[in-house]
Amino acid sequence: MEIHISTQASIISPAAACAYARLGAKRLVLARELQFSEIKAIKAALPKDIELEAFIHGSMCVSYSGRCLLANTLTEGRDGNRGTCSQPCRWNYTIYEEKRPHFPIPVEQTELGTFFMSSRDMCMIDHIPELEEAGISSYKIEGRVKSAYYTAVVTNAYRMALDAYRADPAGYVMDPLWKRELESVSHREY
């Protein structure tokens, strides 16, 4: 059986990636927080047969590589680390100052954004060339608790982008229709 290492293993360095490869892993799902330069460094350090997988679309977690206990605490038994996150980081909250509990302060979004657990959704459709050049061999799209329609639309847009890039890397141009397709499904701001 092939061994794939989850993103929750926090693979953020060449040393960590190489350690899992030595233990027999075939595919490494990288931490979402990595930059392209970090992905390239990891790929360069690994044997050629080790595959890298990266998240490219969907909800981002406010915790480090999905290591959140908030859902489990607030919704008993709904643990993001076991695939059942209730996404409490996206709920509405009110802050109460300890000495003035009768003055609730709602946490609201303004034109400047929300600064309280306000992760946006990831959308990497504009970065297909960089992902390919970084050595990603498997692309991960959030599908958990999403509709079949959402999954089909998002997968189709990325499939078209990847096929176009792989057919002609030098002449690749991102088609705005793919982005419009991604805008057509329910999501938070990208």
Side-chain angles (χ1 to χ4, degrees), residues 151-174:
T151 305
V153 168
V154 172
T155 301
N156 185 57
Y158 280 97
R159 175 80 274 158
M160 289 189 293
L162 282 165
D163 288 348
Y165 178 81
R166 290 175 179 169
D168 184 13
Y172 175 78
V173 176
M174 206 287 286

Short mmCIF file of all heavy atoms in Angstrom, two decimals, residues 151-174:
data_model
loop_
_atom_site.label_atom_id
_atom_site.label_comp_id
_atom_site.label_asym_id
_atom_site.label_seq_id
_atom_site.Cartn_x
_atom_site.Cartn_y
_atom_site.Cartn_z
N THR A 151 -18.06 20.86 -6.42
CA THR A 151 -16.88 20.05 -6.71
C THR A 151 -16.66 19.90 -8.21
O THR A 151 -15.53 20.01 -8.69
CB THR A 151 -17.02 18.66 -6.04
OG1 THR A 151 -17.27 18.87 -4.64
CG2 THR A 151 -15.78 17.83 -6.21
N ALA A 152 -17.74 19.70 -8.96
CA ALA A 152 -17.63 19.55 -10.41
C ALA A 152 -17.15 20.83 -11.08
O ALA A 152 -16.26 20.81 -11.94
CB ALA A 152 -18.97 19.11 -11.00
N VAL A 153 -17.72 21.98 -10.69
CA VAL A 153 -17.35 23.25 -11.30
C VAL A 153 -15.89 23.58 -11.02
O VAL A 153 -15.12 23.94 -11.93
CB VAL A 153 -18.27 24.39 -10.81
CG1 VAL A 153 -17.72 25.76 -11.19
CG2 VAL A 153 -19.68 24.21 -11.38
N VAL A 154 -15.49 23.45 -9.77
CA VAL A 154 -14.12 23.79 -9.39
C VAL A 154 -13.12 22.84 -10.05
O VAL A 154 -12.11 23.27 -10.63
CB VAL A 154 -13.96 23.80 -7.85
CG1 VAL A 154 -12.51 23.97 -7.46
CG2 VAL A 154 -14.82 24.90 -7.25
N THR A 155 -13.40 21.55 -10.00
CA THR A 155 -12.50 20.58 -10.61
C THR A 155 -12.37 20.81 -12.11
O THR A 155 -11.27 20.75 -12.67
CB THR A 155 -13.01 19.15 -10.33
OG1 THR A 155 -13.07 18.96 -8.91
CG2 THR A 155 -12.09 18.10 -10.93
N ASN A 156 -13.49 21.09 -12.78
CA ASN A 156 -13.46 21.33 -14.22
C ASN A 156 -12.62 22.56 -14.57
O ASN A 156 -11.83 22.52 -15.52
CB ASN A 156 -14.89 21.51 -14.75
CG ASN A 156 -14.91 21.64 -16.25
OD1 ASN A 156 -14.44 20.78 -16.97
ND2 ASN A 156 -15.44 22.75 -16.72
N ALA A 157 -12.75 23.64 -13.82
CA ALA A 157 -11.97 24.84 -14.11
C ALA A 157 -10.47 24.56 -14.00
O ALA A 157 -9.68 24.93 -14.88
CB ALA A 157 -12.37 25.97 -13.16
N TYR A 158 -10.07 23.89 -12.93
CA TYR A 158 -8.64 23.58 -12.76
C TYR A 158 -8.17 22.55 -13.79
O TYR A 158 -7.04 22.63 -14.26
CB TYR A 158 -8.36 23.11 -11.33
CG TYR A 158 -8.26 24.26 -10.36
CD1 TYR A 158 -9.35 24.64 -9.59
CD2 TYR A 158 -7.08 24.99 -10.23
CE1 TYR A 158 -9.26 25.71 -8.70
CE2 TYR A 158 -6.98 26.05 -9.35
CZ TYR A 158 -8.08 26.41 -8.59
OH TYR A 158 -7.99 27.47 -7.72
N ARG A 159 -9.02 21.61 -14.13
CA ARG A 159 -8.65 20.60 -15.14
C ARG A 159 -8.35 21.29 -16.47
O ARG A 159 -7.36 20.98 -17.14
CB ARG A 159 -9.78 19.60 -15.29
CG ARG A 159 -9.59 18.55 -16.38
CD ARG A 159 -8.68 17.40 -15.97
NE ARG A 159 -7.28 17.74 -16.20
CZ ARG A 159 -6.24 17.16 -15.59
NH1 ARG A 159 -6.43 16.23 -14.67
NH2 ARG A 159 -5.02 17.50 -15.86
N MET A 160 -9.21 22.25 -16.86
CA MET A 160 -8.99 22.97 -18.12
C MET A 160 -7.69 23.78 -18.06
O MET A 160 -6.92 23.80 -19.02
CB MET A 160 -10.18 23.87 -18.44
CG MET A 160 -11.42 23.08 -18.85
SD MET A 160 -12.78 24.11 -19.48
CE MET A 160 -13.25 24.99 -18.00
N ALA A 161 -7.44 24.43 -16.93
CA ALA A 161 -6.22 25.22 -16.79
C ALA A 161 -4.97 24.34 -16.85
O ALA A 161 -4.00 24.66 -17.55
CB ALA A 161 -6.25 26.01 -15.49
N LEU A 162 -5.00 23.23 -16.13
CA LEU A 162 -3.85 22.32 -16.14
C LEU A 162 -3.61 21.72 -17.53
O LEU A 162 -2.47 21.65 -18.00
CB LEU A 162 -4.04 21.20 -15.12
CG LEU A 162 -3.77 21.58 -13.68
CD1 LEU A 162 -4.32 20.53 -12.73
CD2 LEU A 162 -2.28 21.78 -13.46
N ASP A 163 -4.69 21.30 -18.19
CA ASP A 163 -4.55 20.73 -19.53
C ASP A 163 -3.98 21.76 -20.50
O ASP A 163 -3.11 21.44 -21.32
CB ASP A 163 -5.89 20.21 -20.05
CG ASP A 163 -6.33 18.93 -19.34
OD1 ASP A 163 -5.52 18.32 -18.61
OD2 ASP A 163 -7.51 18.56 -19.51
N ALA A 164 -4.44 23.00 -20.42
CA ALA A 164 -3.94 24.05 -21.31
C ALA A 164 -2.46 24.33 -21.04
O ALA A 164 -1.67 24.48 -21.98
CB ALA A 164 -4.77 25.33 -21.13
N TYR A 165 -2.08 24.39 -19.78
CA TYR A 165 -0.68 24.66 -19.46
C TYR A 165 0.21 23.50 -19.94
O TYR A 165 1.25 23.73 -20.56
CB TYR A 165 -0.48 24.87 -17.96
CG TYR A 165 0.97 25.09 -17.63
CD1 TYR A 165 1.54 26.35 -17.80
CD2 TYR A 165 1.78 24.05 -17.22
CE1 TYR A 165 2.89 26.56 -17.55
CE2 TYR A 165 3.14 24.24 -16.96
CZ TYR A 165 3.68 25.50 -17.14
OH TYR A 165 5.02 25.71 -16.90
N ARG A 166 -0.20 22.28 -19.65
CA ARG A 166 0.63 21.12 -20.02
C ARG A 166 0.72 20.93 -21.53
O ARG A 166 1.72 20.41 -22.02
CB ARG A 166 0.08 19.87 -19.33
CG ARG A 166 0.33 19.91 -17.84
CD ARG A 166 -0.32 18.75 -17.12
NE ARG A 166 -0.04 18.82 -15.68
CZ ARG A 166 -0.65 18.07 -14.79
NH1 ARG A 166 -1.57 17.18 -15.16
NH2 ARG A 166 -0.34 18.19 -13.50
N ALA A 167 -0.30 21.36 -22.28
CA ALA A 167 -0.27 21.25 -23.74
C ALA A 167 0.71 22.24 -24.36
O ALA A 167 1.32 21.95 -25.39
CB ALA A 167 -1.67 21.46 -24.31
N ASP A 168 0.87 23.42 -23.72
CA ASP A 168 1.73 24.45 -24.29
C ASP A 168 2.21 25.41 -23.19
O ASP A 168 1.70 26.53 -23.07
CB ASP A 168 0.97 25.23 -25.38
CG ASP A 168 1.84 26.27 -26.08
OD1 ASP A 168 3.08 26.25 -25.92
OD2 ASP A 168 1.26 27.12 -26.78
N PRO A 169 3.18 24.98 -22.38
CA PRO A 169 3.64 25.84 -21.28
C PRO A 169 4.11 27.22 -21.74
O PRO A 169 3.82 28.23 -21.09
CB PRO A 169 4.79 25.05 -20.66
CG PRO A 169 4.55 23.64 -21.04
CD PRO A 169 3.88 23.70 -22.39
N ALA A 170 4.80 27.29 -22.86
CA ALA A 170 5.33 28.58 -23.33
C ALA A 170 4.23 29.52 -23.79
O ALA A 170 4.35 30.74 -23.65
CB ALA A 170 6.33 28.35 -24.46
N GLY A 171 3.14 28.99 -24.31
CA GLY A 171 2.07 29.83 -24.83
C GLY A 171 0.86 29.91 -23.91
O GLY A 171 -0.19 30.43 -24.30
N TYR A 172 1.01 29.42 -22.70
CA TYR A 172 -0.13 29.36 -21.78
C TYR A 172 -0.63 30.75 -21.41
O TYR A 172 0.14 31.65 -21.08
CB TYR A 172 0.27 28.62 -20.50
CG TYR A 172 -0.80 28.62 -19.43
CD1 TYR A 172 -1.88 27.77 -19.52
CD2 TYR A 172 -0.74 29.50 -18.36
CE1 TYR A 172 -2.88 27.76 -18.55
CE2 TYR A 172 -1.72 29.51 -17.38
CZ TYR A 172 -2.79 28.63 -17.48
OH TYR A 172 -3.77 28.65 -16.52
N VAL A 173 -1.95 30.90 -21.47
CA VAL A 173 -2.61 32.12 -21.02
C VAL A 173 -3.81 31.68 -20.19
O VAL A 173 -4.59 30.83 -20.62
CB VAL A 173 -3.10 32.98 -22.21
CG1 VAL A 173 -3.88 34.19 -21.72
CG2 VAL A 173 -1.92 33.40 -23.08
N MET A 174 -3.94 32.25 -19.00
CA MET A 174 -5.07 31.90 -18.13
C MET A 174 -6.35 32.47 -18.74
O MET A 174 -6.44 33.66 -18.99
CB MET A 174 -4.85 32.49 -16.73
CG MET A 174 -5.54 31.74 -15.61
SD MET A 174 -7.31 31.91 -15.47
CE MET A 174 -7.45 33.54 -14.84
#
